[in-house]
């Protein structure tokens, strides 16, 4: 069951890179897990630590990369990730949103997201927000200051309210908004349509019987 | 004058329309999914979800499972040594038993990379919707199927309901016009397309590939092109149906049989885009202008022809892009303006769902035949895409060609495309790879990947550096 998305105020971590791929978000060795949880400590593993990470390792004593933004004390409690275009490109691994969620991110802001990744984030109750390049540039400027930028995220009103600057409106697919706000289990929703699915199958089997041969 | 006022439709429109169960008030379609392919990495949590909710697969027979990402490509008799990998593969086996899903296990001669075995078995057919928890599901679009990668939640959704909730993507036509030059392959076409439109160029779109150069490709070549649609940002790539498609499917284990095949084939032939059908975006590429491609950076769009140089970030106007170029050059250990043909390599990987089919191995073997890998090459490996590709290659003597040339001949799997098994690059090692992603760390932490065609990879193995296969 997905958790419902409620208005909150969070710290923004700026990750100033375009085309961040899902291999970078969660490297392949952690995909061997058969669980849905536990990926947070390995989020951005190769950028975040100076050593090589392996699954099952205690990450609390690993050497941190001081140059990686996630390790900057200003963003220690970040819940909003601000990044550049095509975030989440590459592999379809849902482990990427699981890792972001496990770390504590709840909202992602970028000029664009890769399609499969965006779909996967919504399935996990994370909110991907697309803003134009200019607005993203402006947020990067604010987020890089000495004090971390905070934003209040209001999905109901489709509005971002930064701690400095004007409120920013954002667009989101109506169905996605509905699912996020209500924490809906969409498998349950689809199963309510079982009769319509059965009717489709019957119709389709007449047209294309080979699709149902087994 | 037409009796019907229906406007011309694209192939994508036709498949989409044929699979709508219902459309909700938000415009989201409940889309019926004909086939799902399952592998060990993205399925355990989906099966666990079914168990926790007390649900069963709606049509177990519409799924086929195979372990491919974690499997070893050598010493298979020892089993999987890494206990975490072994558990993942065993979990797939247990889930398939519990839920009644057909599995090609590691010892099965039909085992292989999920996107190689689907078409090989005739499971992928024109007009179908096909999904898999893997972004390279776009491969199956070569058959005029709407095939796309999904996450684990959607794997579970398809298992439970045989449907997915989807917004209809936009459509893009990429027309590769005219004839390819000598020595230019499907891999060069798709890398050139990605270089042209960028790695997010197809985001939100389904790409249909057309034009003389695409029609002239074999089914294997078409799979290579569709495979890398995701590297252009598109969830799916499609190619219209012709007699090559129909001939490829005739006699496959899961193809329709007898009269049923002809009935299916008649339907398949109706699935091409109508003349005058409109696309949201059209890109035209002159096939004759495509040269052998080599990536130099850490995104597939960072690609140039073999006879050119590594670009100079200082000459890039966009500051975000220039920054990405600098990052990439540092990671790749390359200086701006280095000629591609002067880049030496340490390892060579021939295989993957992009280039692990029989035609790819033939192309590489033709270059390797009677030659030997350079003394500077630490490892050159050939990993067939499936057990059946391996058998075929051995029947043609390709294994011996590779072994004589100093290559290692391995068992089928994803292998060093993503290095989830023991096959990987060490930090700083540079690889000529026929796979699909040159991301940081993709082939092993600190590894440096250059994407090329199978013939270019074989030539690089022999020369110890990138060379133009047309002059080889």
């Amino acid at each position: 069951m997905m958790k419902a998305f409620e208005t909150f105020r969070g710290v923004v971590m700026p990750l100033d890179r375009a085309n961040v791929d899902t291999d970078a978000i969660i490297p392949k060795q952690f995909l061997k897990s058969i669980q849905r949880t536990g990926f947070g400590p390995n989020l951005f593993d190769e950028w975040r630590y100076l050593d090589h990470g392996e699954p099952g390792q205690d990450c609390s004593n690993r050497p941190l990369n001081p140059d990686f933004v996630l390790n900057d004390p200003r963003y220690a409690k970040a819940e909003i990730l601000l990044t550049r275009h095509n975030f989440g490109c590459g592999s379809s691994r849902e482990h990427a949103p699981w890792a972001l969620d496990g770390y504590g991110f709840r909202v992602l802001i970028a000029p664009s997201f890769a399609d499969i990744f965006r779909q996967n984030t919504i399935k996990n109750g994370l909110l991907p927000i697309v803003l134009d390049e200019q607005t993203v540039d402006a947020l990067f400027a604010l987020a890089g200051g000495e004090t971390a930028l905070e934003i209040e995220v209001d999905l109901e009103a489709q509005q971002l309210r930064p701690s400095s600057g004007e409120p920013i409106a954002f667009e989101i697919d109506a169905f996605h908004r509905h699912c996020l706000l209500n924490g809906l289990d969409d498998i349950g929703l689809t199963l309510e349509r079982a009769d319509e699915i059965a009717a489709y199958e019957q119709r389709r089997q007449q047209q294309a019987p080979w699709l149902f041969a087994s | 004058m037409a009796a019907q006022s229906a406007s011309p439709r694209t192939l994508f429109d036709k498949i989409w329309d044929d699979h709508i169960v219902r459309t909700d008030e938000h415009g989201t379609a409940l889309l019926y999914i004909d086939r799902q392919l399952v592998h060990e990495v993205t399925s355990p949590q989906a099966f666990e979800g079914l168990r926790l909710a007390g649900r069963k697969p709606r049509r177990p027979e519409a799924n086929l499972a195979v372990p491919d990402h974690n499997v070893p490509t050598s010493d298979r008799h020892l089993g999987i040594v890494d206990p975490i990998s072994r558990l993942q593969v065993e979990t797939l086996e247990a889930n398939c038993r519990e839920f009644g899903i057909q599995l090609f296990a590691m010892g099965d001669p039909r085992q292989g990379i999920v996107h190689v075995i689907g078409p090989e078995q005739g499971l992928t057919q024109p007009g179908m919707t096909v999904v898999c928890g893997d972004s390279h599901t776009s491969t199956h679009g070569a058959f005029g199927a709407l095939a796309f990668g999904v996450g684990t939640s959607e794997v579970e959704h398809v298992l439970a309901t045989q449907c997915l909730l989807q917004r209809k993507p936009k459509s893009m036509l990429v027309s590769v016009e005219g004839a390819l030059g000598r020595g230019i392959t499907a891999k060069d076409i798709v890398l050139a397309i990605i270089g042209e439109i960028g790695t997010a160029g197809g985001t939100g779109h389904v790409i249909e590939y057309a034009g003389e150069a695409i029609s002239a490709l074999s089914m294997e070549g078409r799979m290579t092109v569709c495979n890398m649609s995701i590297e252009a940002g598109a969830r799916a790539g499609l190619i219209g149906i012709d007699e090559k498609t129909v001939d490829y499917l005739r006699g496959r284990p899961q193809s329709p049989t007898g009269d049923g095949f002809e009935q299916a084939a008649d339907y398949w032939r109706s699935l091409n885009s109508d003349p005058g059908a409109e696309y949201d975006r059209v890109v035209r590429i002159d096939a004759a202008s495509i040269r052998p491609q080599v990536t130099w950076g850490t995104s597939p769009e960072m690609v140039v022809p073999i006879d050119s140089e590594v670009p100079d970030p200082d000459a890039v106007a966009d500051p975000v892009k220039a920054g990405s170029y600098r990052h990439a050059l540092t990671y790749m250990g390359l200086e701006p303006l280095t000629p591609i043909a002067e880049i030496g390599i340490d390892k060579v990987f021939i295989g993957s769902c992009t280039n692990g089919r029989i035609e790819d191995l033939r192309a590489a073997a033709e270059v390797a035949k009677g030659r030997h890998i350079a003394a500077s090459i630490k490892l050159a490996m050939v990993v067939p895409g499936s057990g059946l590709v391996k058998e075929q290659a051995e029947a043609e003597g390709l294994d011996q060609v590779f072994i004589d040339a100093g290559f290692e001949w391995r068992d089928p799997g994803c292998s060093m495309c993503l290095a989830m098994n023991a096959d990987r690059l060490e930090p700083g090692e540079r690889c000529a790879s026929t796979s699909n992603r040159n991301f940081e760390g993709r082939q092993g932490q600190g590894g440096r990947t250059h994407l090329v065609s199978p013939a270019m990879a074989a030539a690089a193995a022999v020369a110890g550096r990138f060379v133009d296969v047309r002059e080889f």
Side-chain angles (χ1 to χ4, degrees):
Chain A
M1 190 69 173
M2 195 167 93
K3 52 188 182 274
F5 191 97
E6 289 169 3
T7 298
F8 77 103
R9 189 182 173 91
V11 169
V12 178
M13 183 190 99
L15 177 61
D16 197 359
R17 288 186 76 157
N19 296 316
V20 172
D21 58 75
T22 53
D23 275 79
I25 297 172
I26 184 83
K28 81 277 289 173
Q29 62 269 35
F30 306 107
L31 273 51
K32 295 177 186 180
S33 166
I34 57 171
Q35 311 292 328
R36 243 175 205 274
T37 53
F39 299 100
N42 299 110
L43 174 69
F44 298 120
D45 199 273
E46 291 184 6
W47 293 345
R48 180 174 172 183
Y49 302 103
L50 293 170
D51 63 346
H52 175 78
E54 281 297 329
Q57 190 180 10
D58 175 10
C59 293
S60 58
N61 294 320
R62 292 177 61 195
L64 298 174
N65 174 5
D67 296 331
F68 186 54
V69 65
L70 195 83
N71 297 322
D72 186 322
R74 279 178 296 177
Y75 312 121
K77 292 199 170 125
E79 291 174 281
I80 301 169
L81 177 63
L82 174 68
T83 186
R84 298 291 183 179
H85 86 97
N86 202 27
F87 186 81
C89 61
S91 154
S92 64
R93 57 188 70 168
E94 198 162 315
H95 312 67
W98 293 339
L100 288 160
D101 180 51
Y103 177 84
F105 284 113
R106 299 164 68 188
V107 172
L108 314 169
I109 302 173
S112 64
F113 295 94
D115 289 334
I116 303 175
F117 173 80
R118 192 169 49 89
Q119 190 91 356
N120 286 341
T121 57
I122 292 162
K123 298 277 178 194
N124 288 280
L126 296 170
L127 171 60
I129 297 176
V130 174
L131 298 176
D132 63 71
E133 301 259 5
Q134 215 179 348
T135 311
V136 169
D137 278 343
L139 287 175
F140 264 101
L142 292 171
E146 239 165 76
T147 333
L149 173 71
E150 290 187 17
I151 296 181
E152 187 170 38
V153 184
D154 185 344
L155 176 57
E156 181 83 53
Q158 295 182 217
Q159 197 180 60
L160 300 179
R161 293 186 283 272
S163 47
S164 54
E166 293 294 303
I168 301 162
F170 64 88
E171 296 293 317
I172 182 170
D173 177 271
F175 176 68
H176 290 157
R177 177 171 170 275
H178 176 71
C179 288
L180 284 167
L181 283 174
N182 296 290
L184 293 177
D185 164 17
D186 60 7
I187 295 179
L189 286 181
T190 301
L191 285 171
E192 288 173 16
R193 303 291 173 181
D195 290 350
E196 286 169 81
I197 299 170
Y200 170 88
E201 284 173 335
Q202 218 164 24
R203 210 163 59 231
R204 187 72 174 148
Q205 194 158 6
Q206 302 285 319
Q207 294 171 333
W210 62 89
L211 292 174
F212 294 84
S214 64
Chain B
M1 290 297 291
Q4 302 279 324
S5 61
S7 52
R9 292 185 301 162
T10 63
L11 167 58
F12 166 49
D13 292 331
K14 293 179 186 183
I15 302 174
W16 184 269
D17 293 348
D18 275 350
H19 288 85
I20 296 175
V21 173
R22 70 187 300 274
T23 306
D24 73 8
E25 69 273 21
H26 304 294
T28 304
L30 187 61
L31 196 72
Y32 194 79
I33 303 301
D34 293 310
R35 293 289 182 271
Q36 176 160 250
L37 295 154
V38 177
H39 65 79
E40 79 277 20
V41 179
T42 57
S43 67
Q45 300 86 352
F47 285 113
E48 181 66 10
L50 288 185
R51 249 189 310 271
L52 289 172
R55 290 168 179 153
K56 296 250 173 284
R58 181 177 176 86
R59 284 180 61 199
E61 74 282 4
N63 298 274
L64 174 65
V66 69
D68 56 3
H69 285 61
N70 276 281
V71 298
T73 60
S74 56
D75 298 320
R76 283 246 168 122
H77 61 282
L78 299 176
I80 303 176
V81 177
D82 175 357
I84 310 177
S85 288
R86 189 170 62 233
L87 176 64
Q88 194 165 55
V89 171
E90 287 169 355
T91 303
L92 178 69
E93 291 168 357
N95 282 327
C96 287
R97 268 195 307 275
E98 179 180 345
F99 291 106
I101 288 170
Q102 189 182 16
L103 171 80
F104 290 174
M106 205 169 82
D108 191 309
R110 300 167 297 180
Q111 180 268 335
I113 305 173
V114 67
H115 307 307
V116 175
I117 68 167
E120 191 171 75
Q121 292 297 315
L123 179 136
T124 309
Q125 296 165 18
M128 278 183 171
T129 46
V130 179
V131 299
C132 174
D134 193 287
S135 60
H136 289 109
T137 309
S138 58
T139 311
H140 307 265
F143 292 83
L146 178 62
F148 53 92
V150 295
T152 300
S153 295
E154 291 191 318
V155 171
E156 183 182 341
H157 199 127
V158 173
L159 283 168
T161 70
Q162 210 58 44
C163 292
L164 277 178
L165 291 158
Q166 296 285 309
R167 285 293 278 222
K168 189 178 179 184
K170 293 181 189 161
S171 61
M172 182 189 298
L173 177 71
V174 175
S175 182
V176 187
E177 299 173 349
L180 292 174
R182 187 181 55 85
I184 307 301
T185 68
K187 183 65 164 286
D188 301 304
I189 294 180
V190 71
L191 285 172
I193 292 170
I194 296 163
E196 174 82 21
I197 70 174
T199 191
T203 301
H205 292 76
V206 166
I207 298 178
E208 180 178 338
Y209 301 95
E212 296 87 352
I214 300 294
S215 301
L217 291 175
S218 65
M219 290 313 295
E220 283 83 356
R222 294 177 189 183
M223 284 187 255
T224 300
V225 172
C226 288
N227 172 273
M228 288 190 72
S229 300
I230 186 70
E231 274 66 51
R235 265 183 111 166
L238 279 172
I239 294 174
I241 289 96
D242 62 12
E243 289 310 303
K244 282 185 201 171
T245 323
V246 175
D247 289 343
Y248 181 98
L249 287 165
R250 195 172 273 119
R252 303 260 160 196
Q254 299 207 26
S255 287
T257 50
D259 291 346
F261 185 86
E262 295 313 322
Q263 187 194 354
D266 286 344
Y267 168 73
W268 296 341
R269 291 185 184 103
S270 76
L271 285 174
N272 286 298
S273 292
D274 297 328
E278 288 188 12
Y279 299 84
D280 295 298
R281 189 178 167 196
V282 176
V283 175
R284 297 188 191 281
I285 289 178
D286 173 18
S289 71
I290 301 175
R291 292 175 277 163
Q293 304 283 305
V294 183
T295 65
W296 57 267
T298 55
S299 166
E301 70 183 15
M302 296 174 176
V303 62
V304 290
I306 174 69
D307 50 356
S308 59
E309 298 158 341
V310 173
D312 182 358
D314 290 343
V316 176
D318 173 4
V320 174
K321 193 170 177 182
S324 300
Y325 276 29
R326 286 192 192 96
H327 262 296
L329 289 180
T330 305
Y331 181 85
M332 294 297 288
L334 289 172
E335 292 298 324
L337 305 178
T338 305
I340 298 295
E342 286 179 11
I343 301 174
I345 53 168
D346 305 300
K347 287 185 174 171
V348 177
F349 171 62
I350 297 173
S352 85
C353 60
T354 310
N355 282 131
R357 286 169 286 268
I358 188 67
E359 183 181 282
D360 302 313
L361 305 192
R362 286 179 190 143
E366 198 183 309
V367 173
K369 192 170 179 130
R371 295 178 164 129
H372 201 277
I373 62 170
S376 59
I377 301 291
K378 295 181 201 167
L379 172 69
M381 60 195 296
V382 184
V383 183
S386 73
L388 297 179
V389 168
K390 187 175 190 219
E391 275 179 17
Q392 174 73 28
E394 288 174 354
E396 295 179 18
L398 304 185
D399 56 330
Q400 207 51 52
V401 171
F402 287 121
I403 291 165
D404 291 346
F407 289 82
E408 292 192 11
W409 179 247
R410 298 290 189 92
D411 285 319
C414 299
S415 180
M416 207 161 70
C417 173
L418 88 166
M420 269 190 85
N421 68 354
D423 309 333
R424 67 186 62 163
L425 298 181
E426 296 303 322
E429 283 183 342
R430 193 180 294 286
C431 181
S433 178
T434 67
S435 56
N436 41 55
R437 290 187 175 136
N438 50 352
F439 299 156
E440 285 184 24
R442 172 78 179 182
Q443 296 192 291
Q445 190 165 4
R448 294 163 172 166
T449 303
H450 296 266
L451 304 174
V452 289
S453 73
M456 284 286 287
V462 171
R465 61 180 175 84
F466 292 108
V467 286
D468 191 335
V469 72
R470 295 171 302 178
E471 294 158 11
F472 199 64

